[in-house]
Amino acid sequence: MENEENVNTQRDECDSMAVIFSDGFTLLGQNPLSYSIRLRPDFSTAAEHREVETLEDSSSLWPAPDNLALSVTYPAAYPDTMPIFSLVNENTNEKQHASLHAIQEQALLNAITTAALSEAGMPCVYGCIHAACAFLENGGLAQAGISLLSDDCLAHILSYLASSRDDVEEVCTALPIFEAASQTNTVWRELCRRRWGEKWKFKKRWKCALDKFPTQSDQHFWMKAYEDEEEDAKRNHIICQELSEMAFDYRQWFSFTLFRNQPDNMRDVLPTGLRNSLAQDVFFSDNGAVQSSREWLRRLSWKSVNSNNDSALSEIRLWFESNGRQVVGESLTVHRLKNWGWELRGSDYVMRAIDDGYPSEEELWGDLTSKMVLEEKPDWVEAHRSPYPYQYREIPDDEDYKILLDW
């Protein structure tokens, strides 16, 4: 009685498959009952899940041969046991070895087997067909094919595709087979080159890393170098030795020379001084002296405002001697820029460290000079930066600077 139930269940499912997949169904045998169903893509599903806009784009997601079919053979105990599946050529009913690599074929059969096991004890062929099509539509064959490549090949592919750490993580999430390759020097050296190439002192940073690169194999050297530089970029204090090795471009927030040169009837705007450099060779010696080709700057000295650690500077103060006594000058706070450069910022003056091979005006100051606005003075504020009254000032359109710079 049990065998008769199984036979009826098998014939009913076979008849249903013949109707549902009428244009791709081929009966192969009666004892045991076996048949094949051509695997065809569902372009609408592929477009929905992969954001494909055209039918031509959808077809590119179907790398399987047109004559690929799934052969189903029922054992006597089915559906209590799983059917016997194989991949065949629909035209010849021979195994599909010529079109698929063994690894690709096994990966597809694994997806089908997983679907069958999820419906154990019940007719499962319809679900298996859809699982096979979903596997193919989602690039399963391509992913299985990638597994044929060595980690070295995968690393070179990833180094070409990824331009950031987030890119690497996204690729590894989608294709876990890249996990081992994603930690190699091949990938991270290229990431370092791309990331640092956009940052201040690229040449020095790159040379330093190359000099430190070990002669013996260290597969994680460049990944560590990348992470170390990312962490260092968060540092908002400057080391005294670093400061002494940098040259700074010295500018005023506002230009009083330009302001005074305006006609009396137009002297209503305090113009920015950020477009004109006062000196491009300002150095802070480790002995506290300020060096520059400008004589008035050489009169200045500097000292740390930090009370507990002079080697890590977050603020410095300028001063000079007059009649045998020290006159306190402007206080400059240390800031790290988005390009990893350094800025010494005061209420009257601002300095930025110059990169190797002095960068263009746009590269050094463009983030400020490109977004200048005229800000109107509130009625309740008294302007005191000039003996002449003014109603407007030219200032970067940034709330931090507007708060820092008084009227």
Side-chain angles (χ1 to χ4, degrees):
M1 185 67 179
E2 182 179 352
N3 289 338
E4 185 176 345
E5 281 188 21
N6 290 346
V7 169
N8 290 336
T9 299
Q10 294 171 16
R11 290 196 177 278
D12 288 345
E13 185 178 46
C14 179
D15 292 342
S16 298
M17 297 300 102
V19 173
I20 296 173
F21 302 103
S22 57
D23 57 345
F25 181 89
T26 302
L27 184 65
L28 301 179
Q30 293 284 355
N31 188 24
L33 186 59
S34 63
Y35 53 89
S36 68
I37 298 174
R38 184 168 73 247
L39 300 177
R40 304 182 63 187
D42 182 350
F43 288 139
S44 62
T45 302
E48 177 183 350
H49 291 288
R50 303 291 289 273
E51 300 182 357
V52 178
E53 298 180 355
T54 66
L55 186 63
E56 291 77 8
D57 291 333
S58 295
S59 64
S60 67
L61 297 175
W62 189 261
D66 293 335
N67 55 11
L68 179 63
L70 178 65
S71 171
V72 181
T73 301
Y74 291 135
Y78 179 81
D80 296 328
T81 61
M82 195 172 62
I84 300 171
F85 296 112
S86 64
L87 299 173
V88 299
N89 184 315
E90 182 190 31
N91 299 330
T92 63
N93 288 322
E94 295 178 353
K95 288 192 174 182
Q96 193 70 28
H97 291 303
S99 300
L100 300 180
H101 191 279
I103 291 180
Q104 293 175 309
E105 183 175 343
Q106 188 59 53
L108 177 53
L109 288 173
N110 287 344
I112 294 168
T113 299
T114 300
L117 291 174
S118 69
E119 300 182 53
M122 300 181 294
C124 64
V125 174
Y126 182 80
C128 291
I129 294 296
H130 277 274
C133 290
F135 175 87
L136 295 169
E137 288 165 0
N138 292 322
L141 288 183
Q143 295 186 40
I146 290 175
S147 66
L148 300 174
L149 300 176
S150 67
D151 283 346
D152 188 52
C153 290
L154 294 176
H156 280 88
I157 293 172
L158 189 55
S159 68
Y160 176 79
L161 294 176
S163 59
S164 68
R165 178 165 49 189
D166 290 341
D167 290 344
V168 172
E169 293 174 353
E170 289 176 5
V171 170
C172 291
T173 299
L175 299 171
I177 194 171
F178 278 96
E179 187 65 39
S182 70
Q183 301 182 38
T184 62
N185 282 325
T186 300
V187 173
W188 287 93
R189 174 177 170 139
E190 183 62 19
L191 282 180
C192 287
R193 187 187 65 80
R194 292 179 181 177
R195 175 69 168 164
W196 300 349
E198 303 171 350
K199 303 300 182 182
W200 181 80
K201 288 290 184 182
F202 163 68
K203 292 180 180 178
K204 180 178 180 180
R205 185 176 289 109
W206 184 250
K207 183 180 183 303
C208 182
L210 290 176
D211 291 342
K212 291 181 180 179
F213 186 68
T215 55
Q216 296 181 349
S217 177
D218 179 356
Q219 282 299 306
H220 303 298
F221 173 83
W222 286 101
M223 182 168 66
K224 293 175 184 175
Y226 184 100
E227 293 172 348
D228 288 346
E229 291 296 335
E230 291 293 316
E231 187 64 28
D232 183 72
K234 301 175 185 178
R235 175 167 55 93
N236 284 318
H237 65 269
I238 193 168
I239 306 302
C240 186
Q241 182 180 350
E242 286 181 295
L243 181 65
S244 65
E245 295 172 351
M246 297 178 189
F248 286 85
D249 187 345
Y250 191 98
R251 303 195 179 197
Q252 290 176 301
W253 288 113
F254 303 102
S255 175
F256 303 102
T257 300
L258 293 177
F259 183 70
R260 288 192 298 269
N261 290 339
Q262 296 179 92
D264 291 343
N265 62 345
M266 295 179 61
R267 191 180 289 130
D268 198 32
V269 176
L270 183 62
T272 182
L274 293 175
R275 295 191 180 96
N276 300 294
S277 176
L278 299 180
Q280 298 174 354
D281 60 351
V282 180
F283 295 87
F284 294 87
S285 300
D286 52 13
N287 62 3
V290 176
Q291 302 293 333
S292 174
S293 60
R294 300 299 182 97
E295 192 275 334
W296 59 273
L297 279 171
R298 293 199 300 272
R299 298 175 186 172
L300 297 175
S301 297
W302 72 275
K303 61 183 177 180
S304 170
V305 178
N306 305 69
S307 59
N308 54 356
N309 186 1
D310 288 345
S311 65
L313 307 172
S314 58
E315 183 179 2
I316 66 173
R317 185 175 296 281
L318 301 178
W319 62 277
F320 60 94
E321 285 194 2
S322 177
N323 298 324
R325 63 185 183 89
Q326 288 188 5
V327 178
V328 176
E330 185 162 27
S331 177
L332 303 172
T333 56
V334 176
H335 293 267
R336 199 72 183 268
L337 302 175
K338 290 182 179 180
N339 70 347
W340 297 359
W342 294 98
E343 180 179 273
L344 303 179
R345 185 186 302 172
S347 59
D348 295 323
Y349 299 93
V350 59
M351 305 185 207
R352 285 192 171 180
I354 299 173
D355 202 348
D356 302 325
Y358 186 69
S360 67
E361 185 79 11
E362 177 64 26
E363 290 173 318
L364 192 58
W365 297 98
D367 61 312
L368 298 181
T369 58
S370 64
K371 57 180 183 181
M372 304 300 293
V373 296
L374 290 182
E375 183 184 24
E376 186 174 8
K377 181 179 71 64
D379 293 337
W380 53 269
V381 171
E382 180 179 354
H384 62 84
R385 285 184 178 268
S386 170
Y388 300 99
Y390 55 91
Q391 190 63 27
Y392 299 89
R393 63 178 182 176
E394 192 178 15
I395 190 171
D397 191 13
D398 186 295
E399 291 303 318
D400 290 340
Y401 291 112
K402 292 178 181 178
I403 294 173
L404 168 71
L405 305 174
D406 56 26
W407 283 86

